[in-house]
Amino acid sequence: MIYRTRSGVLRPRLIALLERCAAREGRMLASTQLPPPFGFEPGGIFDCLQCFAWPSRSTRDLDRTTLTSALDALADSLPHRSVHFVPHGSEVTKYAAWRRVERGALVLEEPLVTRTSLRPILAYLAATSDLAPDVDLLNQPDFVDSFRDSVEARAELPVIIQAFDERVLQCLDPVTRRFDAALHTRAVARQSGRRALLPTLRDLTAYRRERDRIELVSGLDERRSGCGWTAAELVSELYRKSAALLRSPTVIRSRGNAQKRVSERRIREGGLLWAALLLAGEERVSSSLREEATGYRRGPDTLVTNLAGLGHDFLTRALDAEDADPLTGRWPALVRTVGRCGAEDPLAPARDELVEALETALLQAPVGICGWMRRLLVEILAARSRLAPCDCRPNAAEVAVRRPAANAVEQLNAPTSSQNFSTLIGRTGLVAALRRHAAQPGAANNLLLHGPDGAGKRTLAHVYARAILCHAPSDDGIACGTCASCIAPDGHHPRIFSYDGASDRIESITGSITGAIQSTLWDPHCVFIVDNADRYPPEIFDALLDPMENSRRASFVLLARDRKAVRLAGQSRCFDYRVRPLDNEDADAVLRVMLAADGRMLDEASRALLVEACRGLPGRLRDACEIVAAAGATNIAGVRTALGFGWAEETLPFWPALLSADAGALASLMRRSRIERGEAVRRVQALLQLVYLHEGGGGTQESGAGDLALHHLDERRLDDLAATVRAQAHREGTDTEALWMRMTQAWRMGSAVRASTNFGVRERQHNRHDPR
């Protein structure tokens, strides 16, 4: 199939369709570099549908002689299926051999926008757009006629797609869903103007009207399309205007008779909610930013469309700002964006400015802020102070990593000799793909499994190796478990070898492997499992390339943490799969199997803590189970202690002194726990945040705490801690919110206690109004 592109705007959708077609035949769509392989074999050594992107003109790597040979080979191999993307006007199409190729191929072409093709193009956009579902646009003459000027101006397809989105967003009546030609005329007339963003943004957050949203979108589109602003410039400007809104939220411009009385509380809530949703929506505009960074010619510009959706989301959620949490479902994205503060990217300066303005507005808000604002403050403080969650390294002790000997090729046990694809838990898609490879007759497929340590890469590698070496596997690639290959003596499989790619003797090991494979005495088929393939010296790894590609006597399974660090030539000879952590449900199922194998049981709360601590990594689960078993823990209290999560209880006796700013309390806590000052401060910060959330009812332990040690803390202890805060405020003659504001300043300064033991009224008042 040949697809002749103009702008390339439809190419991603065609690729997605081809991927689905290939999947129906058990294949994958693979991008293949030019020049094409000789003979255009179907998939080559891979079972894939090959996809070629031809250049617009000849390059140094694809000169005239090479190109002529490649086209002749392609013309002679037309019965084999492949996909070719060719730009219009490419030099490739000028060769005589190319005309032979086109005569025997299915040729598709990105259409020119003409009066004849306009209606089918609009029909396609209406069918694939989610901006106006179930709206009959083609039977509205005014809507179709509004594109005539673009056709006369010989506009390309991306311009038509952009115009389609703008008309649907700005010119459809919200009630009748009919195209309003008058709105379109006004929009065109205003293209030469420059709307002020800040006044419009103030009106939107205060009055919360649909027309203010439309005017804001129009102003953004004006800068994007009319003034040629980049995506980074536009989003940065919106961040800065939103920060200015938070710094002076009560300045509302008058709009004649439309002016209404708006309470300061409503204005403040609107600005805070808008800023939070804007930060949470940064991931939605990331595609536009990536396209600009890579220089890829973009298709329809979805940036302004996404920002229009943000405005609609704000209007919907603002109705729940007083009675419920208007940021439901947006918290994870918000925390991720705030966590990028200080990063080096085009949005960094404007993002940092907006987050700082949001934090200042929350700190200066009057006493009595509602629950979602309280949680928003805590999440920002936690993200900006980099309170990392506790790693599963109980009491600073790690179970030794089990690796093969570094000075030899080892024959290692499979994780369990009876384990096969049918007994694996989770990762349904990945397991199904490996089973398909193993089910192929005479399979000698190489794999690259990459992912974090403890994710289960070695287990998958051994199960796959046993499946392809089995003498009588099932039709879906499962080892029989009864043949001579499956019943390995002493648990050691004689034809599965594992070695470390980071070994200091890797050169001699590699030489032994390649020499053995080339020997006529070598066993018909063996599997090599290579640990640390991402640390394999490139010049030594190259010796494996020929056996990986041509030898039917050996298969290789490369295990790596960083896929990009694996030799590129090795990646091209492997099926590439990412081994992700298990979700909580599958991790709990794996944990129950581990416990049952050891004849042990744990209650649901203990298992939940183990699953959270190990983050879906089976290797960490096994290590944690060994630690818990060694400690003889049988309940949640024992498991918390065994895993080193009992520090919160150690902090409780020092809590009153910490609240009263006793500098000796932190020193006593450090001596008792034998921890560094920085870790002691971090623990106090995390506990303070949790109690703050608990007191205000703004979130659960999991959402407010940055440490797993606080996730299963007894609620009664939190009540006692909150009561201590109220008692301390009473002794100081102030309210609890003022005390929390003082403690907040301590979090931001990176210290849980002050050197002095007495905070005067003047200092407390200063801290409330100047958070710096």
Side-chain angles (χ1 to χ4, degrees):
M1 187 189 78
I2 297 172
Y3 178 55
R4 303 186 66 173
T5 63
R6 296 182 187 275
S7 66
V9 65
L10 299 178
R11 178 173 170 174
R13 305 183 189 186
L14 180 59
I15 290 177
L17 178 61
L18 289 170
E19 287 176 342
R20 291 197 294 271
C21 294
R24 293 196 188 102
E25 301 181 1
R27 294 170 175 251
M28 295 185 302
L29 187 68
S31 298
T32 307
Q33 295 182 349
L34 297 171
F38 177 74
F40 283 86
E41 297 179 359
I45 62 171
F46 306 107
D47 189 14
C48 59
L49 178 61
Q50 298 184 41
C51 181
F52 300 90
W54 294 85
S56 58
R57 54 178 54 89
S58 299
T59 64
R60 182 178 302 174
D61 298 330
L62 199 62
D63 55 23
R64 178 176 293 273
T65 303
T66 304
L67 185 57
T68 302
S69 300
L71 292 177
D72 289 336
L74 175 58
D76 295 337
S77 306
L78 287 179
H80 300 313
R81 285 177 290 182
S82 57
V83 181
H84 304 267
F85 293 99
V86 183
H88 252 278
S90 171
E91 293 183 4
V92 175
T93 61
K94 300 176 182 178
Y95 287 75
W98 183 258
R99 290 190 286 274
R100 291 175 54 206
V101 174
E102 286 195 341
R103 283 196 296 268
L106 170 65
V107 180
L108 303 179
E109 185 172 353
E110 180 181 322
L112 280 171
V113 182
T114 64
R115 293 184 178 182
T116 304
S117 64
L118 175 61
R119 197 169 186 86
I121 290 173
L122 295 179
Y124 168 77
L125 295 177
T128 57
S129 174
D130 58 356
L131 298 178
D134 303 325
V135 178
D136 188 3
L137 296 172
L138 294 184
N139 289 327
Q140 300 184 36
D142 290 343
F143 180 80
V144 177
D145 291 341
S146 66
F147 293 89
R148 300 296 183 189
D149 292 341
S150 299
V151 174
E152 296 297 333
R154 298 175 181 250
E156 293 189 355
L157 188 57
V159 176
I160 298 298
I161 296 176
Q162 174 71 14
F164 178 89
D165 292 340
E166 291 174 356
R167 283 158 176 71
V168 171
L169 285 170
Q170 301 179 20
C171 303
L172 287 188
D173 188 282
V175 178
T176 64
R177 308 303 288 166
R178 300 285 298 177
F179 177 75
D180 190 334
L183 282 177
H184 172 60
T185 302
R186 286 196 294 271
V188 172
R190 288 198 301 261
Q191 286 297 319
S192 58
R194 288 291 301 273
R195 297 171 184 79
L197 293 184
L198 183 56
T200 304
L201 190 58
R202 284 171 176 159
D203 283 359
L204 174 64
T205 56
Y207 300 132
R208 304 172 188 179
R209 298 175 300 202
E210 177 67 18
R211 69 181 187 183
D212 295 321
R213 182 188 75 90
I214 294 175
E215 186 166 350
L216 178 64
V217 172
S218 299
L220 296 172
D221 186 64
E222 209 174 74
R223 287 158 173 78
R224 180 68 166 144
S225 59
C227 303
W229 285 28
T230 65
E233 289 173 340
L234 187 66
V235 177
S236 297
E237 178 70 5
L238 189 56
Y239 277 0
R240 294 189 184 95
K241 296 303 183 185
S242 300
L245 173 69
L246 293 174
R247 288 191 287 265
S248 56
T250 58
V251 181
I252 305 296
R253 64 171 174 164
S254 175
R255 194 186 289 220
N257 296 330
Q259 179 72 18
K260 298 190 298 184
R261 299 180 64 86
V262 182
S263 67
E264 292 187 9
R265 179 186 180 91
R266 177 185 173 93
I267 296 173
R268 183 180 68 252
E269 286 183 351
L272 293 174
L273 178 57
W274 167 261
L277 289 174
L278 181 59
L279 290 170
E282 181 174 304
E283 295 177 353
R284 297 185 182 183
V285 302
S286 59
S287 60
S288 297
L289 298 174
R290 286 195 300 268
E291 287 175 0
E292 288 185 348
T294 59
Y296 179 77
R297 184 173 184 176
R298 58 185 173 85
D301 190 351
T302 59
L303 176 61
V304 177
T305 304
N306 287 331
L307 294 176
L310 171 65
H312 180 74
D313 193 33
F314 167 77
L315 294 177
T316 302
R317 291 173 177 268
L319 299 175
D320 302 328
E322 296 183 4
D323 301 327
D325 181 0
L327 293 175
T328 300
R330 295 288 187 267
W331 289 109
L334 173 64
V335 173
R336 287 193 295 270
T337 301
V338 176
R340 288 193 287 271
C341 285
E344 296 183 1
D345 61 79
L347 298 181
R351 183 197 303 119
D352 293 348
E353 180 182 348
L354 177 57
V355 172
E356 182 179 356
L358 183 58
E359 180 182 346
T360 302
L362 287 166
L363 288 171
Q364 293 180 342
V367 176
I369 60 177
C370 57
W372 69 269
M373 295 183 190
R374 180 188 295 269
R375 179 178 175 184
L376 180 59
L377 174 60
V378 172
E379 295 288 8
I380 291 177
L381 292 171
R384 298 196 72 191
S385 59
R386 298 296 193 272
L387 288 182
C390 181
D391 200 358
C392 185
R393 296 182 179 179
N395 300 322
E398 289 186 282
V399 178
V401 178
R402 299 168 180 79
R403 296 194 181 278
N407 58 357
V409 179
E410 294 287 334
Q411 291 181 330
L412 297 180
N413 298 345
T416 59
S417 59
S418 61
Q419 198 163 21
N420 56 46
F421 287 128
S422 63
T423 63
L424 294 176
I425 298 173
R427 303 189 180 106
T428 306
L430 174 56
V431 171
L434 298 184
R435 287 171 66 168
R436 286 197 300 270
H437 294 312
Q440 298 169 3
N445 297 323
N446 303 310
L447 298 181
L448 169 58
L449 304 179
H450 58 94
D453 285 336
K457 301 187 293 292
R458 171 170 288 278
T459 298
L460 290 169
H462 275 279
V463 170
Y464 173 77
R466 294 173 66 86
I468 65 175
L469 295 176
C470 177
H471 295 162
S474 65
D475 293 338
D476 53 358
I478 298 178
C480 67
T482 58
C483 68
S485 176
C486 291
I487 304 177
D490 300 326
H492 293 276
H493 200 292
R495 291 191 288 157
I496 299 179
F497 298 84
S498 180
Y499 67 98
D500 191 348
S503 169
D504 55 357
R505 295 191 60 217
I506 189 61
E507 185 173 3
S508 62
I509 293 173
T510 305
S512 300
I513 291 173
T514 55
I517 294 176
Q518 294 169 1
S519 172
T520 58
L521 301 177
W522 185 251
D523 197 76
H525 194 186
C526 291
V527 179
F528 293 93
I529 299 175
V530 185
D531 279 315
N532 293 315
D534 48 350
R535 297 172 59 190
Y536 214 118
E539 64 278 5
I540 301 175
F541 186 93
D542 287 348
L544 299 178
L545 298 180
D546 184 72
M548 290 178 68
E549 182 169 5
N550 300 319
S551 177
R552 304 297 298 177
R553 299 180 177 182
S555 296
F556 290 81
V557 182
L558 309 182
L559 309 181
R561 286 180 291 275
D562 182 9
R563 173 184 177 274
K564 295 181 180 179
V566 178
R567 186 72 163 161
L568 186 61
Q571 296 182 38
S572 67
R573 288 163 171 80
C574 295
F575 288 99
D576 180 350
Y577 295 102
R578 181 178 179 182
V579 184
R580 301 176 184 272
L582 298 170
D583 59 35
N584 287 349
E585 183 178 354
D586 289 336
D588 183 64
V590 170
L591 177 59
R592 290 200 301 270
V593 171
M594 292 179 179
L595 294 172
D598 296 335
R600 304 182 65 250
M601 293 182 60
L602 287 176
D603 56 56
E604 183 177 355
S606 299
R607 295 200 313 273
L609 178 59
L610 284 169
V611 168
E612 288 177 285
C614 297
R615 303 178 191 173
L617 301 176
R620 286 193 180 185
L621 277 174
R622 170 56 65 187
D623 295 344
C625 284
E626 293 179 4
I627 294 172
V628 171
T634 58
N635 54 31
I636 183 64
V639 171
R640 282 170 55 83
T641 302
L643 296 181
F645 293 150
W647 63 258
E649 287 79 0
E650 297 176 1
T651 310
L652 301 182
F654 304 92
W655 181 254
L658 290 170
L659 289 180
S660 62
D662 184 355
L666 185 62
S668 300
L669 177 62
M670 292 164 54
R671 286 194 299 269
R672 177 169 176 175
S673 304
R674 297 180 181 179
I675 55 177
E676 297 291 336
R677 177 183 177 85
E679 174 62 14
V681 170
R682 187 194 71 80
R683 292 180 178 184
V684 172
Q685 290 174 342
L687 192 56
L688 283 167
Q689 292 183 30
L690 178 59
V691 177
Y692 185 56
L693 273 178
H694 178 76
E695 176 73 359
T700 63
Q701 292 185 27
E702 287 76 5
S703 65
D707 199 305
L708 286 176
L710 305 180
H711 281 201
H712 297 273
L713 193 61
D714 193 339
E715 293 285 340
R716 291 173 297 181
R717 291 190 179 276
L718 293 176
D719 292 334
D720 294 339
L721 293 173
T724 306
V725 174
R726 292 192 293 271
Q728 179 67 26
H730 179 72
R731 284 193 294 271
E732 293 185 12
T734 186
D735 52 46
T736 56
E737 197 66 29
L739 180 60
W740 282 121
M741 289 298 103
R742 191 191 75 194
M743 298 308 297
T744 297
Q745 302 306 316
W747 304 346
R748 300 182 71 205
M749 295 298 294
S751 173
V753 294
R754 302 269 182 143
S756 63
T757 59
N758 181 25
F759 286 84
V761 174
R762 180 177 302 174
E763 182 177 355
R764 290 201 300 271
Q765 293 294 331
H766 172 73
N767 285 340
R768 289 185 62 184
H769 296 287
D770 185 5
R772 292 172 293 178

